């Protein structure tokens, strides 16, 4: 027996199943979509290939391109936050939310003419979870929250997604453009996956397909002749230019050599002065920036020390140091303002240097050991500036700290997993589209909790309440309560949430507020 999960931003009714009309991204209601023309998107670097099993990259610039080629089961309307059907028509959970039955749209074909059906999804997810002896499976599972056990065929156009624990937020996750969802044609996969050129020749079921990839220069896409929704293919060509320095991308936009870009907040004031450019912003769906503790190691296994470290910080000034933009208040949860799951009432240990010093003095008197530690941070100027601000605040209450820039990529993560660290900065780039994603990762039995060496029964219980809640109001209440437990337990220090900013020239139409770490370039049209 299954039941539908009702939430304010899920399917609003039968009208959403109208199909083609609903997949026009006409955010600007006065604009009628036009067919034809070319759109150029400037992104920061090369795609490195199109097979997510060979290129294990979460980078948002890569998803801009891949979602145009592959498309996904559902999409989120950035303006209304509704989840709309694309390759799937619906998804209904079992009573325990450990299984989701997905009804696929019939008539969807890959660019080579193969059908996108249940067999294609089973083949795809079996490969992700078992290929190369399953050594990459965890990367894909982390993108979908609670542990995905597998995908099973029910009939030709129905599949069941099976999870080890309850996953009430599956539909939100299925609507996010991440590397788990880019399904390729199964027969083509079987015949070509071991060939060297396979990574260079994608076959997807999205509105566009590859025309040319010039390494280090651009990817050019044209219409997929087998696309199921002909009325949703507006552009003749969609080109992604690789322009590494952001200032060069901004200049390309201003000069008209690019039509639309992702831009960081530092360039927004400059771009808003240009009458031919519009900037739209929204939640990036990233848990954001924080400081993590090694909870298994003294003194951070003592809540007094963790609270002292937070009491010593003016978190608003920390956020200001990190972003260069001073806000009225510090970040206080894993979502940030503008996100539907934001919990503004969460209370952290307040900025109180006297209280911090009292807790430190108590700990030192009891143990005879001073508080001294090293902060590992990412090797960039922004992280260094932020950590420097924190260290200055800690020193004022008798805490001695130093900082060390770590290597990029896996070299930064390995010491965290081994426990050979004190405190570290981290950028949680995983999606916060749904509380199940955020909460589960801090449960002591989740692989990601190894970064914090966290075994806290109170946090575990709060996570389990989040994952057992069902209705919208109940889930929001449980999620906010969980956020408060993180603050009460001084489990980490949240200090910034990045937002997504899209800048485009006036002839680009259909641009919606971003709700995620990418935007739907393949839904846009041009009017010039």
């Amino acid at each position: 027996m299954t039941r539908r999960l009702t939430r304010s931003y899920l399917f609003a009714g039968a009208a959403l199943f109208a199909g083609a009309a609903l997949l026009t991204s006409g955010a600007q209601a006065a604009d009628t979509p036009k067919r034809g023309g070319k759109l150029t998107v400037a992104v920061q670097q090369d795609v490195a290939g199109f097979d997510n099993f060979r290129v294990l990259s979460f980078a948002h610039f890569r998803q801009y391109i891949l979602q145009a080629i592959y498309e996904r089961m559902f999409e989120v309307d950035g303006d209304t936050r509704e989840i709309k059907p694309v390759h799937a028509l619906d998804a209904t959970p079992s009573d325990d939310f450990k299984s989701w039955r997905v009804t696929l749209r019939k008539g969807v074909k890959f660019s080579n003419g193969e059908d996108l059906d249940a067999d294609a999804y089973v083949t795809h997810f079996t490969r992700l979870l078992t290929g190369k002896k399953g050594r990459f499976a965890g990367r894909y599972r982390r993108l979908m929250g609670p542990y995905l056990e597998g995908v099973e065929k029910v009939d030709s156009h129905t599949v069941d997604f099976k999870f080890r624990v309850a996953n009430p937020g599956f539909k939100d996750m299925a609507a996010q453009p991440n590397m788990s969802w880019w399904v390729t044609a199964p027969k083509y996969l079987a015949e070509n996956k071991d060939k060297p050129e396979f990574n260079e020749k994608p076959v997807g079921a999205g509105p566009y397909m590859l025309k040319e990839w010039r390494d280090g220069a651009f990817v050019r896409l044209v219409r997929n002749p087998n696309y199921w929704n002909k009325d949703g293919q507006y552009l003749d060509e969609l080109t992604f230019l690789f322009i590494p320095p952001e200032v060069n991308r901004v200049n390309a936009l201003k000069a008209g050599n690019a039509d639309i870009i992702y831009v960081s907040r530092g360039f927004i004031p400059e771009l808003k002065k240009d009458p031919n450019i519009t900037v739209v912003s929204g939640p990036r769906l990233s848990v954001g920036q924080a400081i993590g503790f090694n909870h298994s190691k003294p003194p951070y296994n003592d809540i007094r020390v963790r609270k002292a470290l937070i009491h010593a910080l003016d978190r608003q000034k920390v956020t200001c140091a990190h972003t260069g933009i001073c806000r009225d208040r510090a970040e206080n949860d894993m979502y940030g303002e503008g996100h539907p799951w934001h919990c503004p009432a969460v209370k952290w240990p307040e900025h109180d240097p006297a209280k911090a010093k009292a807790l430190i003095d108590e700990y030192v008197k009891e143990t005879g050991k001073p508080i001294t530690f090293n902060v590992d941070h990412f090797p960039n100027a922004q992280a260094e500036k932020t950590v420097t601000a924190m260290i200055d605040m800690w020193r004022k209450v008798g805490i001695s700290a130093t900082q060390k820039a770590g290597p990029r990529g896996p070299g930064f993560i390995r010491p965290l997993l081994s426990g050979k660290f004190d405190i570290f900065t981290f950028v949680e780039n995983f999606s916060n589209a749904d509380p199940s994603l955020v909460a589960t990762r801090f449960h002591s039995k989740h692989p990601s909790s190894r970064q914090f060496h966290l075994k806290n029964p109170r946090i575990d219980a709060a996570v389990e309440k989040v994952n057992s809640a069902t209705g919208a109001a109940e889930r929001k209440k449980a999620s906010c309560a969980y956020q408060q437990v993180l603050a009460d337990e001084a489990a980490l220090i949240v200090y910034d949430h990045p937002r997504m900013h899209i800048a485009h020239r006036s002839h680009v139409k259909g641009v919606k507020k971003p709700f995620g770490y990418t935007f739907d370039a393949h839904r846009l049209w041009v009017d010039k």
Side-chain angles (χ1 to χ4, degrees):
M1 179 180 179
T2 59
R3 58 181 176 184
R4 295 187 186 275
L5 181 61
T6 57
R7 289 178 37 196
S8 59
Y9 46 95
L10 293 189
F11 291 107
L16 287 176
F17 296 94
L22 292 168
L23 290 173
T24 61
S25 293
Q28 303 152 1
D31 294 324
T32 300
K34 293 187 177 181
R35 187 176 175 89
K38 302 176 181 181
L39 182 74
T40 298
V41 185
V43 296
Q44 62 259 55
Q45 68 185 74
D46 201 341
V47 71
F50 303 91
D51 177 23
N52 273 322
F53 206 71
R54 298 191 186 186
V55 184
L56 295 168
S57 171
F58 297 89
H60 61 86
F61 64 85
R62 193 163 182 272
Q63 309 312 320
Y64 297 160
I65 302 170
L66 298 190
Q67 63 185 346
I69 296 173
Y70 294 100
E71 210 167 51
R72 53 195 188 272
M73 295 195 299
F74 303 102
E75 288 181 2
V76 179
D77 185 307
D79 292 336
T80 67
R81 305 285 168 77
E82 291 176 333
I83 296 180
K84 296 185 175 183
V86 187
H87 287 168
L89 296 176
D90 200 6
T92 56
S94 60
D95 289 336
D96 61 5
F97 287 90
K98 290 183 179 181
S99 178
W100 281 79
R101 179 155 293 180
V102 176
T103 303
L104 302 173
R105 186 186 297 274
K106 294 182 179 179
V108 179
K109 291 184 178 294
F110 291 97
S111 59
N112 69 348
E114 288 186 53
D115 291 327
L116 176 58
D117 54 16
D119 290 327
Y121 274 93
V122 171
T123 299
H124 173 72
F125 280 96
T126 299
R127 183 186 184 217
L128 296 191
L129 299 180
T130 65
K132 295 286 181 71
K133 299 183 179 179
R135 74 171 183 263
F136 302 133
R139 301 186 185 212
Y140 301 107
R141 287 189 170 109
R142 283 197 294 272
L143 296 171
M144 292 183 286
Y147 194 97
L148 176 67
E149 293 188 314
V151 178
E152 298 177 0
K153 178 180 178 178
V154 177
D155 58 38
S156 65
H157 285 81
T158 308
V159 291
D160 284 344
F161 283 78
K162 300 284 189 177
F163 294 89
R164 184 172 295 178
V165 297
N167 187 1
F170 167 75
K171 202 168 188 178
D172 281 319
M173 300 166 204
Q176 294 305 308
N178 69 54
M179 58 195 290
S180 289
W181 301 111
W182 309 138
V183 181
T184 194
K187 292 181 181 178
Y188 174 76
L189 173 67
E191 295 171 0
N192 295 278
K193 64 182 178 180
D194 296 324
K195 296 179 180 179
E197 63 272 20
F198 177 69
N199 190 40
E200 303 172 6
K201 298 179 179 180
V203 173
Y208 299 96
M209 66 182 195
L210 182 67
K211 176 182 180 181
E212 182 180 6
W213 173 29
R214 188 167 297 177
D215 192 18
F218 62 81
V219 162
R220 182 162 292 130
L221 309 179
V222 294
R223 291 194 190 106
N224 169 7
N226 292 313
Y227 187 54
W228 67 274
N229 180 18
K230 302 293 186 184
D231 293 334
Q233 293 174 294
Y234 306 127
L235 303 167
D236 292 331
E237 285 189 356
L238 176 57
T239 299
F240 295 87
L241 282 181
F242 308 138
I243 305 178
E246 183 175 16
V247 65
N248 288 358
R249 292 195 298 278
V250 169
N251 289 337
L253 180 70
K254 293 167 67 175
N257 296 323
D259 299 308
I260 186 168
I261 63 172
Y262 158 75
V263 63
S264 61
R265 51 193 149 200
F267 285 99
I268 292 176
E270 174 186 343
L271 290 173
K272 283 188 173 180
K273 293 177 183 178
D274 191 323
N276 297 310
I277 293 175
T278 300
V279 180
V280 292
S281 303
R284 187 172 173 179
L285 298 196
S286 168
V287 169
Q289 313 272 351
I291 289 286
F293 305 115
N294 184 344
H295 286 255
S296 68
K297 182 178 180 180
Y300 324 104
N301 58 353
D302 192 310
I303 193 171
R304 294 173 298 177
V305 174
R306 299 196 304 271
K307 283 190 172 182
L309 290 170
I310 300 175
H311 280 307
L313 297 177
D314 183 332
R315 294 193 308 113
Q316 183 183 1
K317 289 183 178 179
V318 171
T319 298
C320 182
H322 178 71
T323 64
I325 300 174
C326 299
R327 301 171 180 167
D328 295 334
R329 58 180 296 175
E331 300 285 2
N332 71 335
D333 70 351
M334 310 296 279
Y335 300 96
E337 293 183 11
H339 196 293
W341 294 104
H342 178 45
C343 301
V346 173
K347 295 181 180 179
W348 285 79
E350 70 280 9
H351 178 221
D352 190 335
K355 187 176 290 185
K357 191 173 189 311
L359 287 169
I360 293 298
D361 290 345
E362 179 183 325
Y363 178 85
V364 171
K365 182 178 179 180
E366 181 181 305
T367 64
K369 297 179 180 179
I371 305 297
T372 178
F373 55 82
N374 183 73
V375 183
D376 292 276
H377 65 79
F378 286 105
N380 59 52
Q382 190 178 36
E384 182 178 355
K385 184 179 179 181
T386 307
V387 172
T388 298
M390 291 184 175
I391 287 175
D392 287 343
M393 296 177 197
W394 285 328
R395 282 174 178 161
K396 292 177 181 178
V397 299
I399 299 171
S400 176
T402 57
Q403 60 178 302
K404 182 181 71 174
R408 294 183 180 274
F412 185 83
I413 298 297
R414 289 190 195 102
L416 307 184
L417 299 179
S418 68
K420 296 177 181 179
F421 74 98
D422 298 328
I423 291 177
F424 69 105
T425 61
F426 66 98
V427 184
E428 283 292 16
N429 281 326
F430 71 87
S431 173
N432 63 0
D434 185 87
S436 294
L437 275 171
V438 176
T440 301
R441 292 174 68 90
F442 291 87
H443 193 285
S444 62
K445 293 184 179 180
H446 193 279
S448 291
S449 69
R450 288 177 58 202
Q451 293 183 21
F452 311 96
H453 298 266
L454 186 63
K455 293 183 179 180
N456 187 309
R458 189 180 177 201
I459 293 175
D460 285 353
V463 170
E464 288 157 14
K465 285 184 179 180
V466 171
N467 288 336
S468 64
T470 55
E474 183 183 352
R475 297 193 73 218
K476 181 67 177 285
K477 181 179 179 181
S479 178
C480 290
Y482 162 70
Q483 300 292 309
Q484 187 61 62
V485 168
L486 290 180
D488 292 344
E489 295 294 313
L492 70 164
I493 306 171
V494 178
Y495 62 87
D496 185 50
H497 280 289
R499 287 175 64 77
M500 188 73 180
H501 309 286
I502 304 301
H504 65 90
R505 298 191 65 81
S506 58
H507 62 266
V508 180
K509 304 299 181 181
V511 181
K512 297 195 173 191
K513 293 178 182 178
F515 188 63
Y517 58 91
T518 183
F519 62 93
D520 296 335
H522 58 295
R523 300 289 182 224
L524 306 181
W525 64 92
V526 293
D527 186 5
K528 65 176 179 178

